[in-house]
Amino acid sequence: MTENKKILDVKDLRVHFFTDEGVVKAIDGVDMHVESGKTLCLVGESGCGKSVTCRAFLGIVQPPGRIVSGDILFYHDDEVINIAKLPPKGKKVRSIRGKEISMIFQEPMTSLSPMYTVGNQIIENITLHTELSKEEARERAIHLLDQVKIPNPGRLVDEYPFRLSGGMRQRAMIAMALSCNPNMLIADEPTTALDVTTQAQILDLMLALQDEYGMALLFITHDLGVVAEIADEVAVMYLGKIVERADADTVFNSPKHPYTQALLRSIPKIAMKREELDPIKGMVPNPFRRPDGCNFNPRCPYAMNVCRERVPGISHINANHTVSCWLYEQDTVEEKAGA
Ligand code: SF4
């Protein structure tokens, strides 16, 4: 295991989408950091901005979206690189993407081409980012396929992705993501489409590889069962903002933000009757018509007048636990409503 150190520090990140209907503030002032050797789970309902946040880290936000302000500081050797300020198609960000920071997706065919064999795609990534020859890269590809527990990797290396099962494709994508020993792996709902058994196997595999490689793992999910299994720390996101962050035990046992509390209450439990389910009331607001004040106020059982008028700042419950809610004493300067 390597010593934990900060490898990504995100400050007041804002990503907006400029559409004909108006501007969607998909990411609206996110602060977060990621440490090597640790697993941070980014959780929240669909559409709250989790995936866009992580795409911004790799400079792959799709138009009409773009980073409008903020910093994404990536600590690499003795260098600090601000990814938010790099041209998205520039050489520098391309040298980071796939080498220093890799990403795996829910759907493996997002990153695996059906036109080339699994081996060719891994070999291409290795030769693009390292000095290894094609032969050496092929050896490494077979080794990686073996590491992700693909049976008979010497044969599978020459197979096309569509010939593999969903679970095997996911393993091949993980092998490709690990091919250049990344410092950080971003996993965007990588097990959501898999059956429960395969899901458990893939999660175990990812944690074992993280331990071996000492990399940071940023895991995006809406599944709190997965979070409970793998997270060291949890960041809860709602409508483009991190509303609570703490270690996993604290989030599960002593959540402070009403949205986190509602998420936890909504988890179905074994032997629970249908009428006992407690889903979060209301819907995520239309991104073009955000409420004034706290984004969660139309759904919050504790909403006060101030919540409908002013955006809460950050409160430190303790050194490792932050929450953005008017129920707690504010220790940062508040933002203006609608800012
Ligand atoms: Fe609820 Fe107010 Fe806290 Fe928002 S700021 S979560 S509306 S209590």
Side-chain angles (χ1 to χ4, degrees), residues 257-258 294 296-297 300 302-304 307 312 324-327:
H257 197 282
C294 168
F296 192 56
N297 85 65
C300 179
Y302 308 105
M304 306 166 278
C307 307
S324 175
C325 173
W326 284 114
L327 291 174

Side-chain angles (χ1 to χ4, degrees), residues 125-228:
N125 196 47
I126 295 172
T127 51
L128 182 70
H129 292 298
T130 72
E131 302 289 308
L132 293 187
S133 67
K134 270 203 164 171
E135 291 68 34
E136 290 167 329
R138 182 180 166 85
E139 282 303 305
R140 176 151 177 75
I142 293 171
H143 171 71
L144 284 161
L145 292 174
D146 188 41
Q147 263 200 318
V148 298
K149 301 196 172 19
I150 284 192
N152 201 351
R155 186 176 66 75
L156 263 289
V157 74
D158 294 319
E159 282 291 1
Y160 288 87
F162 64 82
R163 305 251 305 168
L164 307 181
S165 68
M168 286 296 152
R169 277 204 290 261
Q170 207 68 349
R171 288 169 192 269
M173 185 170 58
I174 295 170
M176 187 155 88
L178 295 178
S179 60
C180 297
N181 289 346
N183 288 311
M184 178 169 157
L185 178 64
I186 300 172
D188 188 357
E189 307 258 11
T191 58
T192 306
L194 303 173
D195 64 76
V196 184
T197 310
T198 312
Q199 183 180 69
Q201 289 168 352
I202 297 280
L203 289 178
D204 285 348
L205 172 69
M206 289 182 67
L207 290 183
L209 292 169
Q210 180 200 27
D211 213 26
E212 186 177 336
Y213 284 72
M215 64 194 170
L217 179 57
L218 175 56
F219 201 100
I220 305 173
T221 182
H222 64 274
D223 185 339
L224 289 166
V226 170
V227 177

Side-chain angles (χ1 to χ4, degrees), residues 6-292:
K6 208 183 265 190
I7 66 164
L8 199 77
D9 201 2
V10 180
K11 295 181 176 176
D12 199 24
L13 181 67
R14 290 169 200 266
V15 179
H16 295 177
F17 284 74
F18 298 86
T19 73
D20 292 342
E21 294 167 76
V23 177
V24 176
K25 296 177 181 176
I27 308 300
D28 196 20
V30 160
D31 291 279
M32 64 190 286
H33 65 270
V34 185
E35 291 177 19
S36 62
K38 288 215 171 180
T39 300
L40 170 65
C41 282
L42 187 57
V43 301
E45 292 163 285
S46 297
C48 68
K50 307 184 297 287
S51 295
V52 176
T53 304
C54 294
R55 284 178 167 270
F57 298 167
L58 289 170
I60 53 171
V61 176
Q62 300 283 347
R66 64 179 162 84
I67 296 172
V68 293
S69 64
D71 298 307
I72 303 168
L73 304 178
F74 176 57
Y75 296 90
H76 181 239
D77 296 334
D78 292 333
E79 212 183 350
V80 184
I81 304 164
N82 191 346
I83 295 173
K85 304 290 187 242
L86 297 176
K89 293 193 174 142
K91 200 171 165 196
K92 188 76 175 174
V93 79
R94 280 190 285 125
S95 73
I96 295 171
R97 198 160 54 217
K99 180 171 190 290
E100 310 297 345
I101 307 177
S102 283
M103 185 157 177
I104 57 177
F105 300 87
Q106 180 178 337
E107 174 42 67
M109 297 313 273
T110 304
S111 47
L112 291 173
S113 165
M115 308 285 288
Y116 300 97
T117 64
V118 167
N120 274 343
Q121 297 181 62
I122 300 176
I123 291 164
E124 193 190 342
N125 196 47
I126 295 172
T127 51
L128 182 70
H129 292 298
T130 72
E131 302 289 308
L132 293 187
S133 67
K134 270 203 164 171
E135 291 68 34
E136 290 167 329
R138 182 180 166 85
E139 282 303 305
R140 176 151 177 75
I142 293 171
H143 171 71
L144 284 161
L145 292 174
D146 188 41
Q147 263 200 318
V148 298
K149 301 196 172 19
I150 284 192
N152 201 351
R155 186 176 66 75
L156 263 289
V157 74
D158 294 319
E159 282 291 1
Y160 288 87
F162 64 82
R163 305 251 305 168
L164 307 181
S165 68
M168 286 296 152
R169 277 204 290 261
Q170 207 68 349
R171 288 169 192 269
M173 185 170 58
I174 295 170
M176 187 155 88
L178 295 178
S179 60
C180 297
N181 289 346
N183 288 311
M184 178 169 157
L185 178 64
I186 300 172
D188 188 357
E189 307 258 11
T191 58
T192 306
L194 303 173
D195 64 76
V196 184
T197 310
T198 312
Q199 183 180 69
Q201 289 168 352
I202 297 280
L203 289 178
D204 285 348
L205 172 69
M206 289 182 67
L207 290 183
L209 292 169
Q210 180 200 27
D211 213 26
E212 186 177 336
Y213 284 72
M215 64 194 170
L217 179 57
L218 175 56
F219 201 100
I220 305 173
T221 182
H222 64 274
D223 185 339
L224 289 166
V226 170
V227 177
E229 269 186 52
I230 67 167
D232 294 310
E233 290 194 84
V234 181
V236 181
M237 196 161 195
Y238 188 75
L239 224 62
K241 289 180 183 290
I242 304 287
V243 296
E244 183 160 15
R245 174 171 175 144
D247 64 82
D249 279 351
T250 302
V251 167
F252 280 96
N253 297 315
S254 183
K256 295 291 184 230
H257 197 282
Y259 178 59
T260 314
Q261 293 167 353
L263 271 181
L264 290 167
R265 278 197 306 273
S266 70
I267 305 175
K269 299 185 182 58
I270 292 173
M272 193 181 231
K273 295 195 186 103
R274 195 182 175 84
E275 57 273 19
E276 290 172 333
L277 283 173
D278 189 6
I280 305 176
K281 309 276 180 297
M283 307 281 287
V284 177
N286 181 327
F288 291 106
R289 285 192 292 277
R290 285 165 182 265
D292 284 340

